[in-house]
Amino acid sequence: MESFLAAVYACLGKLIADELKAWLPRMTEHVLRAAVTMLPGNQRERYDEEWRSFLADIPGRLSRFIASLGLVKAAYEISNRGIVTYSLIRLASVLLILTLAPVFLIAAALARLSDGWAPVLTNEFRGALTDDRTVITLVFRTDEVGLENFGPYVQLHSHHGLRFTPITDAEAKQTERRFGPVRLSPTGRLLIRLGLSRLPILINVLRGDFPFEDLRKLWVFANRRHQWCAQSLVVPADPLWLIRRQKHCLIILNREKT
Amino acid sequence: MQVTTQTLKVLGALISSADEISGADIARSVELASGTLYPILARLERAHWIESRWEEGDPHKLGRPRRRFYKITALGARKAREAVNEVKRAFRRSAWSLS
């Protein structure tokens, strides 16, 4: 019985190997063509020939087929489909904003009721995503007022040339003491508890405030905040800055009057 | 332009190669997959850090598709050096802060 099964497996194995041998070049050709089709019209001819020569230099049908799959990824990146993806994301953000409009309105109304005429939205600065680039996102204001207007972070950043310097936990606490603790407003507490305080990021997305790369990283690091915050901290030049500690992260708000 | 470790590897392969070098040769020397290599080459070429040309000869006579050869430009070599120095500086800073 065992020898019979072994013979069957051997026959099947050979059959599958023969099939693959016959089909792999054809499949490789199809994948290559699909990759080339993804490219902009003026680049197709070049990459078609270049990638054919690239595949011809790879020994083995299976390796060639695997390499051709990689070319699909290459074509996607070369054709800058990130722009297309980002447009779709922006479209999705419009739909989300429209869908969540009642939530926005209720949150804004609550903030107005509890804090008077203080701005409902504010800018939140997020330090060093990877290199020295920063991201500024819109958030619902969650702290108690008395802070007049929040100016856009960008202005201070460009005018004052803020520096990024590593900071220890003790230093962070010291800075916090210097500028006073952050008191959450009742509305703010509610928004944070409901996980809605960062909802206005959709407006940033809609406005195209971030490069696609940053948006992707924000998404990827959404649950690993310390990775993009712990690295650096803006040293505030004056008490126009509000520093909020959240776990491993220091969030900095600009209190400058506009 | 953002210079990643992989970009540095590609630039390194182009700098260390005495002559022009094809995509397949670069892939072999830096052990990068096609999906990673070609976008890097495309970006570098757009930034004029490298330039490329077709292999001379008729594909029919060669009996295979022509290869595309890449070589680094003076600008690319300068930028690569700057990037390497930047990495070294960053490494030194990190090492210093860890000590």
Side-chain angles (χ1 to χ4, degrees):
Chain A
M1 183 66 183
E2 274 178 17
S3 58
F4 172 72
L5 280 176
V8 169
Y9 286 140
C11 285
L12 271 178
K14 192 176 180 322
L15 195 68
I16 291 167
D18 287 346
E19 282 294 309
L20 275 179
K21 206 173 167 184
W23 277 98
L24 275 177
R26 196 175 289 191
M27 283 156 67
T28 308
E29 175 67 24
H30 279 297
V31 174
L32 175 66
R33 273 192 212 161
V36 171
T37 316
M38 285 169 69
L39 292 166
N42 59 347
Q43 293 185 22
R44 284 182 193 164
E45 201 178 334
R46 169 199 164 159
Y47 280 106
D48 183 64
E49 188 167 358
E50 182 171 1
W51 286 348
R52 277 178 197 284
S53 74
F54 173 78
L55 291 176
D57 281 344
I58 296 172
R61 290 184 173 90
L62 185 61
S63 303
R64 219 171 281 160
F65 175 68
I66 292 167
S68 73
L69 292 175
L71 293 176
V72 176
K73 178 178 173 265
Y76 180 85
E77 289 190 21
I78 290 171
S79 63
N80 216 359
R81 291 293 164 95
I83 292 168
V84 178
T85 314
Y86 196 50
S87 305
L88 288 174
I89 289 170
R90 285 171 81 172
L91 181 68
S93 73
V94 173
L95 295 175
L96 270 173
I97 287 170
L98 289 175
T99 315
L100 298 171
V103 180
F104 269 94
L105 288 173
I106 291 167
L110 280 174
R112 275 273 179 272
L113 282 173
S114 63
D115 297 331
W117 289 102
V120 172
L121 297 178
T122 185
N123 290 304
E124 186 175 272
F125 159 73
R126 297 188 171 279
L129 270 183
T130 44
D131 36 42
D132 278 347
R133 278 180 310 140
T134 58
V135 168
I136 299 129
T137 61
L138 276 172
V139 291
F140 281 123
R141 190 174 43 73
T142 50
D143 48 332
E144 271 187 354
V145 206
L147 303 176
E148 299 87 23
N149 294 317
F150 290 87
Y153 168 79
V154 187
Q155 283 183 7
L156 261 187
H157 187 260
S158 54
H159 293 158
H160 292 237
L162 292 166
R163 290 175 298 114
F164 294 91
T165 51
I167 187 165
T168 63
D169 236 30
E171 282 173 320
K173 276 181 187 153
Q174 197 183 352
T175 320
E176 195 178 49
R177 274 201 295 277
R178 188 175 152 203
F179 296 107
V182 176
R183 293 184 303 271
L184 292 178
S185 67
T187 315
R189 199 166 288 125
L190 180 71
L191 287 172
I192 289 173
R193 196 173 298 160
L194 295 173
L196 297 174
S197 61
R198 297 210 162 78
L199 205 57
I201 199 173
L202 288 171
I203 298 170
N204 293 109
V205 175
L206 178 63
R207 293 196 308 211
D209 287 345
F210 319 126
F212 180 66
E213 272 303 295
D214 284 348
L215 186 61
R216 208 172 55 173
K217 278 166 196 158
L218 272 174
W219 182 262
V220 169
F221 292 126
N223 297 314
R224 290 187 288 159
R225 189 181 298 149
H226 61 282
Q227 290 215 6
W228 36 286
C229 290
Q231 188 189 340
S232 59
L233 168 72
V234 170
V235 176
D238 48 47
L240 291 173
W241 294 92
L242 178 72
I243 298 176
R244 172 176 302 159
R245 282 170 58 79
Q246 284 188 358
K247 293 181 185 170
H248 308 281
C249 178
L250 283 156
I251 292 169
I252 296 154
L253 301 172
N254 176 8
R255 289 161 146 186
E256 192 184 42
K257 284 184 183 181
T258 47
Chain B
M1 199 180 77
Q2 196 176 0
V3 182
T4 60
T5 318
Q6 289 160 336
T7 311
L8 278 179
K9 276 184 184 178
V10 173
L11 286 168
L14 286 159
I15 289 171
S16 57
S17 159
D19 209 355
E20 295 166 310
I21 181 168
S22 73
D25 291 334
I26 299 171
R28 263 194 298 275
S29 67
V30 297
E31 292 177 349
L32 279 182
S34 52
T36 309
L37 173 69
Y38 278 102
I40 291 173
L41 289 175
R43 273 199 298 276
L44 290 173
E45 201 169 3
R46 267 201 302 272
H48 303 290
W49 289 23
I50 61 171
E51 55 191 18
S52 66
R53 68 163 185 88
W54 284 115
E55 178 184 15
E56 277 166 21
D58 183 20
H60 296 293
K61 284 180 189 164
L62 290 169
R64 56 170 174 76
R66 288 176 302 169
R67 292 187 179 116
R68 186 94 181 171
F69 289 124
Y70 293 89
K71 75 170 181 185
I72 196 155
T73 62
L75 172 73
R78 186 162 52 88
K79 292 283 185 185
R81 270 196 301 275
E82 284 172 12
V84 169
N85 288 336
E86 183 57 37
V87 170
K88 279 182 188 167
R89 270 200 298 274
F91 182 76
R92 258 186 247 123
R93 273 203 301 270
S94 309
W96 180 80
S97 66
L98 283 171
S99 62

